[in-house]
Amino acid sequence: MSGAAEEALRREYVVGEEIGRGRFGTVRRCYSAATGAAFALKTTPKAALRADPLDLALAEQEPKAHLLASGASRSVVALHAAFEDADAVHLVLDLCAGGDLFSALAARGPLPEPEAARLAAQLADALAGSHRRGVAHRDVKPDNLFFFADDDLRLGDFGSAGWFGDGRPMTGLVGTPYYVAPEVVAGREYTEKVDVWSAGVVLYLMLSGTVPFYGATAAETFEAVLRGNLRFPPRAFSAVSPGAKDLLRRMLCRDPSRRFSADQVLRHPWIVSRGGSAAAVG
């Protein structure tokens, strides 16, 4: 870290050890100089982003997008402070010491329906709140879902977020192959419902231990996503209820106009009966 942003940051926080590393930056533990409270510090240097104007633009708009979303649902990782200069963007965030959903699923495999529904409800609440503020996450996946406590899942990493609050359509191939919506792969304009598709893939993974659309390469995975042939293999889904499959069909609907919104996901009977009502979540 260097520059004016680091100087301002270090006046308010004590920076500790590295606890994570992503494609463009690092995450460190940090502590409030005034209270000693622990947080996570995400640092994104801009030098590595300047080769791609889109990557740089996304990094520079991340603080605004994350701030809007973090005030809309307690199921979003809260942004507590942001420091930015010409060299880097530093975000002080909730410290989610429970790890991410990807690691949890890798260790445990498929989840019981009540647990999957509870986590899906929290994710849907995070998305509903973000969407009401005009923010689409655009990279919903287990790696970006963090446990603040044992059963407290929060959506983080708004580094790919898009703004649609003024009615503008979103474009661009943003996201991760297994989880990206077909309209994104097709290169069309799209809406915030791309997040619901991705959340549907996450729910499918939680219930079955596998993803619905995949290939040996990213290109083959994109082809499978475009086909959108949703199946429920008996070996993985024999014990999964009809209600869960119904919700998956509505979230993983190729037609965005017929696909559920995040608010509709929260009102689905399977979520209400097993995962708790929207009011109980957010």
Side-chain angles (χ1 to χ4, degrees):
M1 294 190 295
S2 62
E6 180 192 357
E7 293 178 8
L9 168 69
R10 289 186 181 274
R11 283 196 292 269
E12 297 185 34
Y13 295 91
V14 177
V15 180
E17 72 279 10
E18 182 177 312
I19 55 176
R21 182 173 288 268
R23 186 160 65 106
F24 293 123
T26 59
V27 179
R28 297 178 182 273
R29 194 182 301 267
C30 72
Y31 306 87
S32 167
T35 67
F39 299 96
L41 173 65
K42 179 182 178 182
T43 295
T44 305
K46 293 183 179 180
L49 305 176
R50 291 198 170 96
D52 187 331
L54 175 59
D55 286 337
L56 182 59
L58 289 173
E60 291 180 336
Q61 76 179 24
E62 181 179 1
K64 178 182 177 181
H66 200 145
L67 182 62
L68 284 169
S70 69
S73 167
R74 67 177 179 84
S75 294
V76 173
V77 173
L79 173 64
H80 296 275
F83 303 86
E84 180 180 0
D85 58 20
D87 298 316
V89 178
H90 309 284
L91 304 180
V92 179
L93 305 159
D94 281 340
L95 178 63
C96 294
D100 61 48
L101 180 61
F102 181 86
S103 300
L105 294 175
R108 296 182 52 193
L111 303 179
E113 281 196 38
E115 185 175 357
R118 186 169 58 251
L119 298 178
Q122 292 178 53
L123 172 54
D125 190 73
L127 293 177
S130 300
H131 295 169
R132 284 192 291 271
R133 297 286 182 90
V135 175
H137 187 279
R138 300 201 299 180
D139 197 18
V140 175
K141 58 183 178 181
D143 319 54
N144 289 336
L145 292 161
F146 304 95
F147 288 98
F148 186 77
D150 287 345
D151 294 320
D152 186 355
L153 191 70
R154 300 190 181 184
L155 176 63
D157 196 345
F158 282 73
S160 298
W163 168 252
F164 65 92
D166 54 3
R168 77 178 72 178
M170 291 177 287
T171 58
L173 182 56
V174 179
T176 301
Y178 292 133
Y179 303 93
V180 71
E183 61 268 31
V184 177
V185 178
R188 302 196 300 267
E189 294 181 346
Y190 51 84
T191 72
E192 71 277 10
K193 285 189 177 181
V194 297
D195 286 343
V196 177
W197 174 282
S198 302
V201 177
V202 172
L203 177 56
Y204 189 104
L205 178 63
M206 287 195 289
L207 290 170
S208 70
T210 187
V211 293
F213 313 108
Y214 56 89
T217 65
E220 289 181 6
T221 299
F222 285 146
E223 289 175 6
V225 169
L226 285 171
R227 288 193 298 270
N229 187 11
L230 181 62
R231 296 175 178 174
F232 300 112
R235 174 178 289 185
F237 280 88
S238 61
V240 175
S241 69
K245 294 175 185 175
D246 178 73
L247 177 58
L248 285 168
R249 291 188 187 97
R250 295 173 187 273
M251 297 175 75
L252 294 170
C253 176
R254 289 176 60 196
D255 181 354
S257 68
R258 295 174 52 237
R259 188 181 307 153
F260 262 17
S261 68
D263 278 318
Q264 287 175 306
V265 172
L266 285 169
R267 295 194 297 270
H268 188 273
W270 184 76
I271 290 289
V272 173
S273 63
R274 296 174 184 264
S277 67
V281 176

